[in-house]
Amino acid sequence: MTMTLYSLCGVDAARPFSPHCWKAVMALHHKGLAFEERPLAFTVIPTVESGASKTVPLLRDGQELISDSFRIALYLEDAYPEAPSLFGGPGGVAAARLVEGYSQHVVHGVITRIALIDIHAMLAPADQAYFRKSREERLGRSFDEMAAGRDAAITALPAALQPLRHMLAFQPFVGGATPLFGDYILFGALQWLRITTGSVHLPPDDPVSRWFDRCLDLYDGVARQVA
Amino acid sequence: MTMTLYSLCGVDAARPFSPHCWKAVMALHHKGLAFEERPLAFTVIPTVESGASKTVPLLRDGQELISDSFRIALYLEDAYPEAPSLFGGPGGVAAARLVEGYSQHVVHGVITRIALIDIHAMLAPADQAYFRKSREERLGRSFDEMAAGRDAAITALPAALQPLRHMLAFQPFVGGATPLFGDYILFGALQWLRITTGSVHLPPDDPVSRWFDRCLDLYDGVARQVA
């Protein structure tokens, strides 16, 4: 039976933009698994699967229902061991949690400040109200304050990506010669930025841009088709 | 034959402080290998092993001479495969380069601003002159400017460690249930801070402090003995 991946969208269901959902999409393609993606608006998420999760991604695989992108990757690695590994062994699983920490606590903050107003503009009115309230509570600042920091955040982005650039001096992917889930963690962040703002705000010859392009090329360019 | 690890010290050879050398020390203990550590002053490094390296750590193992902490770890993993793995598989090797990037480009900058004057005070006059000149060139600012930023850097340290703290909510070590080279990369940074300034400048109940204490306990507390 085909799996269902619930993801996140605004008014246009053809432009799912959540960084965490993109991690799950890339992990499913990495494993070569067939799935149907069902993008949902923020306020629709609690109405599917009997309200099983307040957040997406949420994966339905037969009797199994798994939320959280990292837990989905662990589930896929365990349930489909014959497909290409998402982690490259136990050391890779463990280190991916630090990659997640770096992505969420160094990179996401900068991207949020760049993309906030663009994301808001993609949403229907009911979702805009939810988004504004939840983000102002989470970030402790008003939308107007955050919007004023957009240019400074674009300026700060290259430095936030310096750890990734450092790594790319040694190897083409976080996974080494080929991508692993660690790549999809950071890809998800920049794909979120690209879809919501139309750009990754980096020079095309930046090693990070070239790595991002390699990720967009994966799996017949599936991630490039959404823009 | 016992290996020789050339490391870095100031006037007191009993207090080697380099973050990169501590990575190599911990990697050698992890592998259970016997070695003699020979701490060198900055200006002495080019005089050993026929000037083979301008930097330490530098490892002599029989006919082999290896510089750079990451290359030393890769060498040990390859040359001593029967000893406990430093990486936990190929995914762990690859991801460790991103851990290195995070450590050097997010954490080291903050620690440098906290510890700079303390490091300078540990050195003999000839090494002080080398250190001041090389660091002012590398960092593009005068010592006085950097010293003025010390309190701000102490305030910034907890946020720079948030990726590590995120990971510690899921597992006790970067390596998962037990430490791997990724732990020693970040341990080296905080051990450098501890030895040069006398403190890691974090609350004792911070998850990062508790992880650091677990690392100090490893291998009969070898790293705790230097203070």
mmCIF file of all heavy atoms in Angstrom, chain A residues 106-137:
data_model
loop_
_atom_site.group_PDB
_atom_site.id
_atom_site.type_symbol
_atom_site.label_atom_id
_atom_site.label_comp_id
_atom_site.label_asym_id
_atom_site.label_seq_id
_atom_site.Cartn_x
_atom_site.Cartn_y
_atom_site.Cartn_z
ATOM 1 N N VAL A 106 21.117 27.297 14.597
ATOM 2 C CA VAL A 106 21.999 28.288 13.970
ATOM 3 C C VAL A 106 21.393 28.773 12.657
ATOM 4 O O VAL A 106 21.295 29.969 12.412
ATOM 5 C CB VAL A 106 23.418 27.716 13.745
ATOM 6 C CG1 VAL A 106 24.299 28.731 13.027
ATOM 7 C CG2 VAL A 106 24.061 27.312 15.077
ATOM 8 N N VAL A 107 20.950 27.843 11.818
ATOM 9 C CA VAL A 107 20.489 28.209 10.473
ATOM 10 C C VAL A 107 19.024 28.666 10.471
ATOM 11 O O VAL A 107 18.689 29.672 9.844
ATOM 12 C CB VAL A 107 20.701 27.028 9.492
ATOM 13 C CG1 VAL A 107 20.264 27.406 8.090
ATOM 14 C CG2 VAL A 107 22.176 26.590 9.488
ATOM 15 N N HIS A 108 18.146 27.935 11.147
ATOM 16 C CA HIS A 108 16.714 28.259 11.087
ATOM 17 C C HIS A 108 16.394 29.668 11.584
ATOM 18 O O HIS A 108 15.512 30.330 11.040
ATOM 19 C CB HIS A 108 15.892 27.245 11.900
ATOM 20 C CG HIS A 108 15.579 25.995 11.145
ATOM 21 N ND1 HIS A 108 14.383 25.329 11.274
ATOM 22 C CD2 HIS A 108 16.300 25.280 10.247
ATOM 23 C CE1 HIS A 108 14.383 24.249 10.497
ATOM 24 N NE2 HIS A 108 15.541 24.192 9.876
ATOM 25 N N GLY A 109 17.099 30.107 12.612
ATOM 26 C CA GLY A 109 16.813 31.432 13.146
ATOM 27 C C GLY A 109 17.042 32.529 12.117
ATOM 28 O O GLY A 109 16.244 33.465 12.002
ATOM 29 N N VAL A 110 18.127 32.394 11.360
ATOM 30 C CA VAL A 110 18.431 33.375 10.320
ATOM 31 C C VAL A 110 17.387 33.299 9.199
ATOM 32 O O VAL A 110 16.880 34.331 8.731
ATOM 33 C CB VAL A 110 19.854 33.140 9.759
ATOM 34 C CG1 VAL A 110 20.172 34.160 8.674
ATOM 35 C CG2 VAL A 110 20.890 33.203 10.866
ATOM 36 N N ILE A 111 17.050 32.080 8.797
ATOM 37 C CA ILE A 111 16.066 31.913 7.711
ATOM 38 C C ILE A 111 14.696 32.432 8.139
ATOM 39 O O ILE A 111 13.990 33.074 7.351
ATOM 40 C CB ILE A 111 16.001 30.437 7.262
ATOM 41 C CG1 ILE A 111 17.319 30.067 6.569
ATOM 42 C CG2 ILE A 111 14.788 30.191 6.351
ATOM 43 C CD1 ILE A 111 17.397 28.635 6.103
ATOM 44 N N THR A 112 14.316 32.172 9.375
ATOM 45 C CA THR A 112 13.026 32.673 9.862
ATOM 46 C C THR A 112 12.945 34.189 9.695
ATOM 47 O O THR A 112 11.927 34.728 9.235
ATOM 48 C CB THR A 112 12.823 32.304 11.343
ATOM 49 O OG1 THR A 112 12.749 30.888 11.454
ATOM 50 C CG2 THR A 112 11.540 32.913 11.904
ATOM 51 N N ARG A 113 14.039 34.881 10.048
ATOM 52 C CA ARG A 113 14.022 36.346 9.954
ATOM 53 C C ARG A 113 13.974 36.832 8.501
ATOM 54 O O ARG A 113 13.449 37.900 8.224
ATOM 55 C CB ARG A 113 15.249 36.932 10.679
ATOM 56 C CG ARG A 113 15.117 36.836 12.196
ATOM 57 C CD ARG A 113 16.247 37.560 12.891
ATOM 58 N NE ARG A 113 17.486 36.786 12.856
ATOM 59 C CZ ARG A 113 18.702 37.295 12.688
ATOM 60 N NH1 ARG A 113 18.855 38.594 12.530
ATOM 61 N NH2 ARG A 113 19.769 36.516 12.683
ATOM 62 N N ILE A 114 14.509 36.024 7.571
ATOM 63 C CA ILE A 114 14.438 36.405 6.160
ATOM 64 C C ILE A 114 13.044 36.125 5.589
ATOM 65 O O ILE A 114 12.485 36.929 4.845
ATOM 66 C CB ILE A 114 15.493 35.638 5.318
ATOM 67 C CG1 ILE A 114 16.916 35.936 5.816
ATOM 68 C CG2 ILE A 114 15.362 35.983 3.828
ATOM 69 C CD1 ILE A 114 17.999 35.099 5.146
ATOM 70 N N ALA A 115 12.474 34.973 5.946
ATOM 71 C CA ALA A 115 11.312 34.441 5.219
ATOM 72 C C ALA A 115 9.967 34.725 5.870
ATOM 73 O O ALA A 115 8.923 34.474 5.253
ATOM 74 C CB ALA A 115 11.478 32.921 5.047
ATOM 75 N N LEU A 116 9.988 35.267 7.072
ATOM 76 C CA LEU A 116 8.759 35.347 7.862
ATOM 77 C C LEU A 116 7.595 36.011 7.120
ATOM 78 O O LEU A 116 6.475 35.473 7.074
ATOM 79 C CB LEU A 116 9.058 36.111 9.153
ATOM 80 C CG LEU A 116 8.010 35.975 10.239
ATOM 81 C CD1 LEU A 116 8.113 34.620 10.918
ATOM 82 C CD2 LEU A 116 8.199 37.073 11.279
ATOM 83 N N ILE A 117 7.863 37.166 6.544
ATOM 84 C CA ILE A 117 6.784 37.911 5.891
ATOM 85 C C ILE A 117 6.336 37.205 4.608
ATOM 86 O O ILE A 117 5.143 37.196 4.267
ATOM 87 C CB ILE A 117 7.259 39.355 5.586
ATOM 88 C CG1 ILE A 117 7.703 40.047 6.892
ATOM 89 C CG2 ILE A 117 6.155 40.164 4.904
ATOM 90 C CD1 ILE A 117 6.659 40.084 7.983
ATOM 91 N N ASP A 118 7.296 36.576 3.919
ATOM 92 C CA ASP A 118 6.948 35.815 2.707
ATOM 93 C C ASP A 118 6.053 34.625 3.052
ATOM 94 O O ASP A 118 5.114 34.309 2.319
ATOM 95 C CB ASP A 118 8.227 35.321 2.022
ATOM 96 C CG ASP A 118 9.142 36.468 1.626
ATOM 97 O OD1 ASP A 118 8.899 37.069 0.563
ATOM 98 O OD2 ASP A 118 10.070 36.773 2.384
ATOM 99 N N ILE A 119 6.387 33.929 4.147
ATOM 100 C CA ILE A 119 5.559 32.789 4.552
ATOM 101 C C ILE A 119 4.146 33.276 4.872
ATOM 102 O O ILE A 119 3.155 32.697 4.411
ATOM 103 C CB ILE A 119 6.167 32.067 5.783
ATOM 104 C CG1 ILE A 119 7.540 31.488 5.443
ATOM 105 C CG2 ILE A 119 5.229 30.963 6.278
ATOM 106 C CD1 ILE A 119 8.321 30.993 6.663
ATOM 107 N N HIS A 120 4.067 34.332 5.641
ATOM 108 C CA HIS A 120 2.771 34.895 6.018
ATOM 109 C C HIS A 120 1.928 35.186 4.774
ATOM 110 O O HIS A 120 0.723 34.883 4.733
ATOM 111 C CB HIS A 120 3.006 36.171 6.843
ATOM 112 C CG HIS A 120 1.770 36.768 7.424
ATOM 113 N ND1 HIS A 120 1.075 37.783 6.811
ATOM 114 C CD2 HIS A 120 1.102 36.496 8.571
ATOM 115 C CE1 HIS A 120 0.031 38.106 7.555
ATOM 116 N NE2 HIS A 120 0.020 37.346 8.631
ATOM 117 N N ALA A 121 2.571 35.728 3.738
ATOM 118 C CA ALA A 121 1.845 36.097 2.511
ATOM 119 C C ALA A 121 1.339 34.890 1.736
ATOM 120 O O ALA A 121 0.441 35.015 0.894
ATOM 121 C CB ALA A 121 2.754 36.949 1.614
ATOM 122 N N MET A 122 1.919 33.708 1.989
ATOM 123 C CA MET A 122 1.503 32.495 1.274
ATOM 124 C C MET A 122 0.261 31.852 1.885
ATOM 125 O O MET A 122 -0.300 30.918 1.304
ATOM 126 C CB MET A 122 2.641 31.454 1.295
ATOM 127 C CG MET A 122 3.873 31.839 0.495
ATOM 128 S SD MET A 122 5.261 30.678 0.770
ATOM 129 C CE MET A 122 4.670 29.226 -0.142
ATOM 130 N N LEU A 123 -0.142 32.319 3.073
ATOM 131 C CA LEU A 123 -1.171 31.619 3.844
ATOM 132 C C LEU A 123 -2.558 32.215 3.644
ATOM 133 O O LEU A 123 -2.701 33.406 3.359
ATOM 134 C CB LEU A 123 -0.815 31.672 5.331
ATOM 135 C CG LEU A 123 0.583 31.184 5.733
ATOM 136 C CD1 LEU A 123 0.775 31.347 7.243
ATOM 137 C CD2 LEU A 123 0.805 29.740 5.316
ATOM 138 N N ALA A 124 -3.594 31.386 3.852
ATOM 139 C CA ALA A 124 -4.974 31.866 3.887
ATOM 140 C C ALA A 124 -5.200 32.621 5.204
ATOM 141 O O ALA A 124 -4.463 32.413 6.171
ATOM 142 C CB ALA A 124 -5.936 30.679 3.777
ATOM 143 N N PRO A 125 -6.221 33.493 5.256
ATOM 144 C CA PRO A 125 -6.411 34.339 6.446
ATOM 145 C C PRO A 125 -6.440 33.587 7.779
ATOM 146 O O PRO A 125 -5.782 34.020 8.743
ATOM 147 C CB PRO A 125 -7.752 35.021 6.160
ATOM 148 C CG PRO A 125 -7.788 35.131 4.666
ATOM 149 C CD PRO A 125 -7.145 33.864 4.158
ATOM 150 N N ALA A 126 -7.125 32.472 7.869
ATOM 151 C CA ALA A 126 -7.196 31.752 9.150
ATOM 152 C C ALA A 126 -5.815 31.263 9.565
ATOM 153 O O ALA A 126 -5.451 31.285 10.754
ATOM 154 C CB ALA A 126 -8.156 30.567 9.046
ATOM 155 N N ASP A 127 -5.011 30.825 8.579
ATOM 156 C CA ASP A 127 -3.662 30.348 8.875
ATOM 157 C C ASP A 127 -2.718 31.494 9.187
ATOM 158 O O ASP A 127 -1.800 31.346 9.992
ATOM 159 C CB ASP A 127 -3.138 29.522 7.695
ATOM 160 C CG ASP A 127 -3.980 28.284 7.471
ATOM 161 O OD1 ASP A 127 -4.136 27.509 8.442
ATOM 162 O OD2 ASP A 127 -4.493 28.105 6.365
ATOM 163 N N GLN A 128 -2.955 32.648 8.555
ATOM 164 C CA GLN A 128 -2.136 33.823 8.877
ATOM 165 C C GLN A 128 -2.277 34.189 10.345
ATOM 166 O O GLN A 128 -1.290 34.497 11.016
ATOM 167 C CB GLN A 128 -2.550 35.007 7.994
ATOM 168 C CG GLN A 128 -2.099 34.867 6.547
ATOM 169 C CD GLN A 128 -2.472 36.067 5.695
ATOM 170 O OE1 GLN A 128 -3.489 36.708 5.936
ATOM 171 N NE2 GLN A 128 -1.649 36.349 4.694
ATOM 172 N N ALA A 129 -3.495 34.152 10.853
ATOM 173 C CA ALA A 129 -3.727 34.513 12.253
ATOM 174 C C ALA A 129 -3.010 33.526 13.181
ATOM 175 O O ALA A 129 -2.342 33.917 14.152
ATOM 176 C CB ALA A 129 -5.224 34.529 12.546
ATOM 177 N N TYR A 130 -3.130 32.239 12.864
ATOM 178 C CA TYR A 130 -2.443 31.207 13.659
ATOM 179 C C TYR A 130 -0.931 31.405 13.609
ATOM 180 O O TYR A 130 -0.235 31.348 14.635
ATOM 181 C CB TYR A 130 -2.810 29.813 13.127
ATOM 182 C CG TYR A 130 -1.853 28.748 13.592
ATOM 183 C CD1 TYR A 130 -2.015 28.135 14.841
ATOM 184 C CD2 TYR A 130 -0.750 28.367 12.810
ATOM 185 C CE1 TYR A 130 -1.116 27.187 15.290
ATOM 186 C CE2 TYR A 130 0.152 27.425 13.258
ATOM 187 C CZ TYR A 130 -0.042 26.828 14.493
ATOM 188 O OH TYR A 130 0.856 25.903 14.944
ATOM 189 N N PHE A 131 -0.417 31.636 12.396
ATOM 190 C CA PHE A 131 1.032 31.739 12.186
ATOM 191 C C PHE A 131 1.604 32.938 12.942
ATOM 192 O O PHE A 131 2.606 32.827 13.652
ATOM 193 C CB PHE A 131 1.308 31.860 10.684
ATOM 194 C CG PHE A 131 2.767 31.910 10.322
ATOM 195 C CD1 PHE A 131 3.569 30.790 10.466
ATOM 196 C CD2 PHE A 131 3.335 33.065 9.809
ATOM 197 C CE1 PHE A 131 4.916 30.820 10.121
ATOM 198 C CE2 PHE A 131 4.675 33.109 9.464
ATOM 199 C CZ PHE A 131 5.467 31.984 9.624
ATOM 200 N N ARG A 132 0.935 34.091 12.812
ATOM 201 C CA ARG A 132 1.430 35.289 13.475
ATOM 202 C C ARG A 132 1.479 35.088 14.998
ATOM 203 O O ARG A 132 2.494 35.337 15.639
ATOM 204 C CB ARG A 132 0.540 36.497 13.137
ATOM 205 C CG ARG A 132 0.958 37.781 13.838
ATOM 206 C CD ARG A 132 -0.008 38.931 13.533
ATOM 207 N NE ARG A 132 0.096 39.430 12.173
ATOM 208 C CZ ARG A 132 0.783 40.522 11.821
ATOM 209 N NH1 ARG A 132 1.451 41.202 12.737
ATOM 210 N NH2 ARG A 132 0.800 40.923 10.578
ATOM 211 N N LYS A 133 0.378 34.571 15.542
ATOM 212 C CA LYS A 133 0.298 34.401 16.995
ATOM 213 C C LYS A 133 1.343 33.400 17.496
ATOM 214 O O LYS A 133 2.079 33.658 18.455
ATOM 215 C CB LYS A 133 -1.117 33.937 17.366
ATOM 216 C CG LYS A 133 -1.374 33.789 18.862
ATOM 217 C CD LYS A 133 -2.870 33.642 19.135
ATOM 218 C CE LYS A 133 -3.170 33.578 20.633
ATOM 219 N NZ LYS A 133 -2.649 32.371 21.275
ATOM 220 N N SER A 134 1.437 32.243 16.822
ATOM 221 C CA SER A 134 2.349 31.193 17.302
ATOM 222 C C SER A 134 3.803 31.625 17.171
ATOM 223 O O SER A 134 4.629 31.342 18.043
ATOM 224 C CB SER A 134 2.098 29.886 16.553
ATOM 225 O OG SER A 134 2.421 30.030 15.174
ATOM 226 N N ARG A 135 4.158 32.330 16.085
ATOM 227 C CA ARG A 135 5.561 32.729 15.896
ATOM 228 C C ARG A 135 5.947 33.882 16.811
ATOM 229 O O ARG A 135 7.091 33.943 17.273
ATOM 230 C CB ARG A 135 5.809 33.089 14.426
ATOM 231 C CG ARG A 135 6.322 31.921 13.585
ATOM 232 C CD ARG A 135 5.517 30.653 13.804
ATOM 233 N NE ARG A 135 5.992 29.506 13.032
ATOM 234 C CZ ARG A 135 5.414 28.302 13.047
ATOM 235 N NH1 ARG A 135 4.351 28.083 13.822
ATOM 236 N NH2 ARG A 135 5.896 27.313 12.324
ATOM 237 N N GLU A 136 5.005 34.805 17.046
ATOM 238 C CA GLU A 136 5.330 35.895 17.976
ATOM 239 C C GLU A 136 5.548 35.338 19.378
ATOM 240 O O GLU A 136 6.456 35.768 20.098
ATOM 241 C CB GLU A 136 4.234 36.970 17.958
ATOM 242 C CG GLU A 136 4.259 37.776 16.648
ATOM 243 C CD GLU A 136 3.304 38.975 16.629
ATOM 244 O OE1 GLU A 136 2.357 38.990 17.441
ATOM 245 O OE2 GLU A 136 3.518 39.875 15.790
ATOM 246 N N GLU A 137 4.762 34.320 19.756
ATOM 247 C CA GLU A 137 4.952 33.691 21.066
ATOM 248 C C GLU A 137 6.286 32.942 21.124
ATOM 249 O O GLU A 137 7.034 33.039 22.088
ATOM 250 C CB GLU A 137 3.800 32.725 21.368
ATOM 251 C CG GLU A 137 2.524 33.444 21.779
ATOM 252 C CD GLU A 137 1.323 32.500 21.906
ATOM 253 O OE1 GLU A 137 1.528 31.260 21.785
ATOM 254 O OE2 GLU A 137 0.223 33.008 22.116
#
